[in-house]
Amino acid sequence: MSVDELVRAAARRLREAGVLSPEVDAELLLAHAMGLDRAGLRRARVLREQVGPAVHGAFLELVVRRADRVPLQHLTGTAWFAGLELAVGPGVFVPRPETETLVRLALATLQDLTSPTVVDLCTGSGAIALALSHQRPDARVGAVELSQEAYRYAVANRARTGLEVDLRLGAAQESFEDWRGRVDLVVSNPPYIPPDAVPVDPEVRDHDPGLALYGGGTDGLELPGLLASRAGQLLRPGGALLMEHADSQSASVVGLLEHTGWRDVRDHEDLAGRPRVVAATRA
Ligand SMILES: C[S@@+](CC[C@H](N)C(=O)[O-])C[C@H]1O[C@@H](n2cnc3c(N)ncnc32)[C@H](O)[C@@H]1O
């Protein structure tokens, strides 16, 4: 079969299985099976290149697993985030494009500072910390993660990107004691989903680790609250906090920070216009 025929057939199958972007996923899976990037796959598609039996078999296996709603990134083994290709797989949260909003806000916050100190609480694959280190090579960036499995991905991603991040394994709410009071910016995309809001998408519900999703308490904000309190201890006076949350939690998160002594509390929208990242300054 030709590349084009295979992509069309796979996209049909993925669409029937409820996959949201069947055509893109089919292309990316075939590119992965052929060892090509997406541009190379597009070329092979236009030229109606034929696919040999080994690649055909490997591709069909990938399509079956994707139709079972295994995340695309678990099948390719990588996810793109803020211009970096990161290793991901079972046991680590797949970084999301919407979290790039937090990275953009962090870079804007840091723009007038020279050699700033930044801490990423709940770093997962290392996505935010590595993106900031990539964009701001003069920054001293630290990051902490509780899950051993996720931490291993963060270490692997630090090695594959060659970036410098002080990675630590442990509980974020007790981390970086040696940096207390000296941090310019704390960033975090913590677990924040309430216990009764189990995600509908099987890719998230069945494949992102529970530790990465649920924030604790009845509203999912138990850990985010503890992290804000830790951020208050780590930051220097005037230092900034940026934390992602669900759009439905906007009023609660803003209220939580305003009632615990933060100033200039402001919620920011993502590219879809939903309030997703709260910013605040340590008094
Ligand atoms: C929503 S994921 C975000 C990961 C990463 N920041 C990103 O944006 O892709 C939350 C992460 O927090 C980690 N985590 C949960 N509780 C933690 C804690 N108490 N201390 C440190 N990390 C924690 C989870 O293992 C998971 O990797």
Side-chain angles (χ1 to χ4, degrees):
M1 276 173 106
S2 74
V3 167
D4 186 59
E5 287 166 329
L6 275 178
V7 169
R8 283 166 189 271
R12 263 197 309 278
R13 172 124 194 225
L14 297 181
R15 191 170 298 111
E16 282 161 19
V19 171
L20 282 181
S21 48
E23 182 86 9
V24 174
D25 285 26
E27 277 195 351
L28 289 172
L29 288 176
L30 187 51
H32 179 67
M34 293 176 77
L36 296 173
D37 62 17
R38 202 161 162 212
L41 192 277
R42 286 266 165 89
R43 240 186 333 272
R45 200 173 170 183
V46 171
L47 296 173
R48 302 209 163 249
E49 274 181 27
Q50 296 296 305
V51 171
V55 169
H56 191 169
F59 177 58
L60 288 185
E61 234 169 82
L62 290 168
V63 172
V64 168
R65 295 184 66 204
R66 185 70 190 98
D68 272 348
R69 308 296 295 271
V70 174
L72 173 74
Q73 297 85 349
H74 285 197
L75 298 173
T76 60
T78 58
W80 282 95
F81 182 78
L84 297 174
E85 191 178 29
L86 303 174
V88 294
V92 72
F93 183 83
V94 175
R96 308 292 207 266
E98 56 263 35
T99 302
E100 293 181 5
T101 297
L102 188 153
V103 171
R104 272 194 296 278
L105 290 166
L107 292 172
T109 305
L110 296 176
Q111 68 187 352
D112 295 329
L113 301 177
T114 310
S115 306
T117 298
V118 182
V119 171
D120 176 15
L121 302 177
C122 302
T123 198
S125 63
I128 300 170
L130 291 167
L132 293 177
S133 173
H134 181 53
Q135 298 286 330
R136 286 294 303 262
D138 63 322
R140 178 168 71 144
V141 181
V144 58
E145 168 57 46
L146 183 61
S147 146
Q148 293 248 12
E149 276 178 294
Y151 174 78
R152 273 198 290 273
Y153 279 100
V155 170
N157 283 323
R158 178 176 60 183
R160 74 182 277 159
T161 57
L163 293 163
E164 273 186 39
V165 170
D166 182 342
L167 283 173
R168 303 186 186 184
L169 176 65
Q173 59 273 36
E174 291 155 17
S175 63
F176 285 95
E177 186 57 31
D178 49 327
W179 291 18
R180 183 188 266 262
R182 292 188 285 134
V183 176
D184 296 295
L185 172 65
V186 171
V187 289
S188 185
N189 174 21
Y192 49 69
I193 299 178
D196 59 355
V198 176
V200 175
D201 290 338
E203 288 88 345
V204 181
R205 186 189 61 224
D206 303 337
H207 296 280
D208 276 323
L211 187 65
L213 298 178
Y214 303 104
T218 52
D219 57 0
L221 292 176
E222 185 173 289
L223 185 62
L226 294 173
L227 297 179
S229 152
R230 186 58 178 164
Q233 295 162 350
L234 294 178
L235 288 169
R236 61 166 169 82
L241 166 67
L242 288 168
M243 187 157 63
E244 188 171 311
H245 57 79
D247 50 358
S248 60
Q249 294 169 328
S250 177
S252 313
V253 172
V254 167
L256 182 118
L257 294 180
E258 282 177 343
H259 290 115
T260 48
W262 293 83
R263 62 177 169 80
D264 307 329
V265 181
R266 188 182 154 201
D267 218 5
H268 293 267
E269 295 179 350
D270 65 11
L271 292 177
R274 297 169 308 178
R276 295 298 306 280
V277 181
V278 71
T281 304
R282 201 203 130 183

